[in-house]
Amino acid sequence: MTDSVTSRRQLLTQGAALLGTTSAGLMLPQSALAQSGKIRVGFMLPYTGTFAQLGVAIENGVRMAINEQGGKLGGREIEWFKVDDESEPSKAIENANKLVQRDKVDVLIGTVHSGVQMGIHKVARDSGVITLIPNAGVHIATRAQCAPNVFRTSFSNSQPTMALGEAMVKRGHKKAVWITWKYAAGDEAYEGFKESYTKAGGTIVKELGLPFPNVEFQALLTEIAALKPDAVACFFAGGGAAKFLKDYAAAGLKGKIPLYGSGFLTEGVLDAAGPAADGVLTTLHYGDGIETKRNKEFRLNYAKTFKLQPDVYAVQGYDTGLLLVQGANAVQGDVSKKSAMIKAMEVAVIDSPRGKWTMSKSHNPVQDIYLREVSNKENKVIGVAAKALADSGAGCRM
Ligand code: PHB
């Protein structure tokens, strides 16, 4: 990555040279500047904290999709910028502005954490910068505050759990405890779970929570043991998910009270969690074991390139890259043609390792949700829990 100050100066000089002048460079309109150099793409992702691995997997996925196109977007080279958002909502607006105002990115890719996404969303709506959400599922970004320049390539927070409750009731678990981190992602995952579980005839006996990214689960696990529900359902992710799985087993609950979750629970953590994850059932828009040529090739190439097993975050990053390629190709790399680029992304069909998906009217994936079971350090697909599931997009007017 080039130092942003140097690269900006280079860009100005290049722009000025194009006009045959050296002093008028600063007067160049932004669109001329943008076209004269590389396409500027900024990552705002967590590179530290409980979601650090998720940020890395997303960046890897994006780069892999673009490298498959010769490392270019619509024929133009790319200059990359990076900000570690630390999954810290209070710094989100400032961090997003480092990319948008300081680095003048043409495209912003971010982020993982729903609270941080709200800061990015404000900056995206105020600036009009093309923004691709590679994970954070916060509902409002593709509902009441949907925006033409903002696209999500991942899921809305209630999408993965919308199919979870029914799968639990079908297995005879009619009384459940729900447990999560108390912030937008956990609360909205609960909305999906509650709807599907109660509709299928289940009763939620208790809703438990702790603040993000706290991992002191002990008191809550003791409470679960005392409540003796038929099953437990949860939302956790990243480092905290690995710890929850291990603590659940260590508390003696594994094998006694079946554990279910939004599929993030078992993504990217199977090595860390070890046998504690075995047999856990989850619902998600991806599964390692999807038996398609597309998925198998993706997994092989990702593992070869990054010396890591891909997970849902790598897939979401990859799909973000695929979407960006389609948008940039439609305008031959002239990303200043925003409305043409947006139109191309709205009608894109993403040929993803998760299966083909399309964008809803509110810019959120319409996608299948799989039922998965952990076995031998793999999220095995054991069924399709929901076909072509769309978020409601409630309140979105575009
Ligand atoms: C979120 O904050 O939206 C979030 C974070 C991690 C996940 C899923 C959702 O795995």
Side-chain angles (χ1 to χ4, degrees):
M1 208 174 49
T2 325
D3 170 83
S4 63
V5 177
T6 320
S7 62
R8 176 106 185 102
R9 211 173 288 136
Q10 278 168 355
L11 204 65
L12 287 167
T13 317
Q14 281 167 16
L18 272 178
L19 286 188
T21 167
T22 50
S23 59
L26 284 169
M27 310 285 286
L28 272 176
Q30 196 58 47
S31 59
L33 259 183
Q35 280 182 69
S36 63
K38 299 175 180 178
I39 296 184
R40 303 162 80 80
V41 180
F43 286 115
M44 176 157 156
L45 291 168
Y47 293 105
T48 52
T50 202
F51 289 159
Q53 270 190 43
L54 286 58
V56 172
I58 288 168
E59 181 180 337
N60 288 346
V62 172
R63 287 184 185 270
M64 185 170 149
I66 291 173
N67 285 340
E68 286 174 0
Q69 304 294 314
K72 291 189 176 178
L73 279 174
R76 281 175 65 194
E77 293 198 350
I78 304 167
E79 179 160 13
W80 300 96
F81 298 84
K82 255 165 100 157
V83 167
D84 174 11
D85 69 35
E86 305 165 44
S87 295
E88 181 47 67
S90 69
K91 298 182 189 166
I93 290 180
E94 186 191 335
N95 279 331
N97 274 326
K98 285 183 189 161
L99 293 169
V100 171
Q101 290 186 3
R102 181 192 68 192
D103 300 334
K104 305 269 186 280
V105 296
D106 299 300
V107 177
L108 194 165
I109 297 174
T111 188
V112 168
H113 183 287
S114 276
V116 177
Q117 197 67 45
M118 290 316 295
I120 294 182
H121 204 59
K122 179 174 178 6
V123 173
R125 280 168 33 114
D126 289 351
S127 66
V129 161
I130 301 264
T131 301
L132 307 180
I133 311 176
N135 185 74
V138 63
H139 284 165
I140 201 170
T142 58
R143 290 192 186 176
Q145 287 185 19
C146 68
N149 58 312
V150 177
F151 289 82
R152 181 147 52 202
T153 56
S154 49
F155 55 89
S156 76
N157 281 326
S158 58
Q159 251 180 332
T161 43
M162 202 60 104
L164 179 62
E166 195 190 341
M168 291 170 67
V169 172
K170 271 191 187 154
R171 280 168 175 69
H173 307 311
K174 295 210 171 127
K175 286 196 175 136
V177 166
W178 169 262
I179 178 168
T180 191
W181 277 316
K182 290 297 292 171
Y183 81 108
D187 294 344
E188 293 176 351
Y190 178 66
E191 280 179 36
F193 171 66
K194 188 176 167 191
E195 189 177 323
S196 77
Y197 195 60
T198 53
K199 215 186 201 169
T203 306
I204 300 164
V205 292
K206 186 111 193 208
E207 202 195 322
L208 298 171
L210 71 173
F212 174 89
N214 193 324
V215 290
E216 301 308 317
F217 300 119
Q218 203 47 56
L220 297 170
L221 292 171
T222 304
E223 197 174 341
I224 289 172
L227 286 164
K228 297 193 176 58
D230 296 343
V232 172
C234 68
F235 165 86
F236 292 109
K243 171 115 185 343
F244 183 74
L245 288 165
K246 283 193 280 188
D247 287 5
Y248 195 87
L253 297 178
K254 188 174 168 55
K256 283 202 188 121
I257 305 174
L259 179 61
Y260 289 79
S262 179
F264 305 109
L265 177 67
T266 57
E267 287 294 316
V269 303
L270 296 180
D271 279 330
D278 278 342
V280 173
L281 280 164
T282 62
T283 45
L284 199 66
H285 47 286
Y286 181 64
D288 306 330
I290 292 175
E291 290 284 332
T292 58
K293 188 163 167 263
R294 184 79 174 113
N295 187 44
K296 285 180 182 162
E297 281 176 6
F298 166 79
R299 296 193 67 82
L300 202 64
N301 290 341
Y302 186 95
K304 265 195 215 153
T305 310
F306 303 108
K307 314 282 177 257
L308 274 175
Q309 286 305 312
D311 54 21
V312 73
Y313 309 106
V315 172
Q316 291 167 181
Y318 185 71
D319 291 2
T320 302
L322 295 180
L323 181 69
L324 187 52
V325 164
Q326 292 199 30
N329 283 349
V331 294
Q332 281 90 46
D334 183 356
V335 290
S336 68
K337 291 186 175 146
K338 253 189 223 171
S339 56
M341 189 169 165
I342 286 171
K343 275 212 184 83
M345 294 197 290
E346 282 177 334
V347 300
V349 177
I350 302 299
D351 186 10
S352 166
R354 73 181 97 164
K356 281 194 181 142
W357 61 267
T358 53
M359 277 292 168
S360 71
K361 282 206 173 102
S362 56
H363 297 182
N364 189 71
V366 178
Q367 57 192 337
D368 295 346
I369 304 292
Y370 303 95
L371 179 63
R372 310 111 43 86
E373 180 172 12
V374 178
S375 132
N376 286 330
K377 299 203 174 172
E378 195 187 301
N379 284 296
K380 292 242 155 66
V381 173
I382 57 172
V384 175
K387 230 14 223 166
L389 186 69
D391 186 76
S392 75
C396 172
R397 274 176 292 275
M398 284 200 281

